[in-house]
Amino acid sequence: EAVVSTQSTGGAVNPVTILSYGFDRSSPRDRSSAFSKLRRDWKMSHDEDLIGQFVIKHRHQTEIKYFQDLLVDTPKHCRHQYMLAFKELCLSRGDKELFQTIEKWTVPEFPVRGDQLIKELGLPKGPLISKYFYLAKTKWKENHYTMSREEVLEYLKSEYEKAS
């Protein structure tokens, strides 16, 4: 269990970050629910809620790949908020190295769009697109974001043929 660090990694720890460490004696769902109630009662800002929920949910994670996958799955317009919460988590741990690694990392873009699955693989519109898009993105992440567009499409083609 990480405890809130007194060592600074580039700033002061937000009080909400410290507060979120007090929600540790129950299941993740119960912690999140209890924090949400506190947020409403104390009229916390959206950013404070985001930080608290992020720290509660991810504080036990230490692997760089875990946080890279989270960042890849975060929509571009929300990445600034993700980095704000991630910085707070790292500040609370005194983990300057982890924060700097993720901060300097260039987020790769998934090489395939849903419309390409319809066009190039002949998948029908509907829920099947979501299923295969998720399958492809998971495989791409498992391969450390190195699969090319062609490799992703080839993988999906073989998976679709197996299922048909």
Side-chain angles (χ1 to χ4, degrees), residues 101-113:
T101 299
I102 296 295
E103 185 179 42
K104 292 176 184 175
W105 185 61
T106 301
V107 181
E109 294 300 322
F110 186 57
V112 177
R113 295 185 322 267

Side-chain angles (χ1 to χ4, degrees), residues 54 57-58 64-83 102 105-112 130 133-142 145:
F54 188 91
K57 185 173 183 181
H58 305 293
I64 289 172
K65 178 75 165 70
Y66 175 85
F67 291 107
Q68 288 173 326
D69 285 349
L70 278 178
L71 193 52
V72 162
D73 288 337
T74 301
K76 284 181 189 179
H77 69 278
C78 297
R79 288 183 183 158
H80 172 74
Q81 292 173 315
Y82 169 93
M83 289 304 293
I102 296 295
W105 185 61
T106 301
V107 181
E109 294 300 322
F110 186 57
V112 177
S130 295
F133 191 83
Y134 176 80
L135 187 66
K137 195 165 187 182
T138 300
K139 185 71 169 177
W140 177 72
K141 289 188 304 187
E142 287 170 0
Y145 330 106

Side-chain angles (χ1 to χ4, degrees), residues 114-115 117-119 122-130:
D115 63 319
L117 300 181
I118 296 168
K119 182 180 176 185
L123 292 177
K125 289 183 181 180
L128 204 54
I129 295 294
S130 295

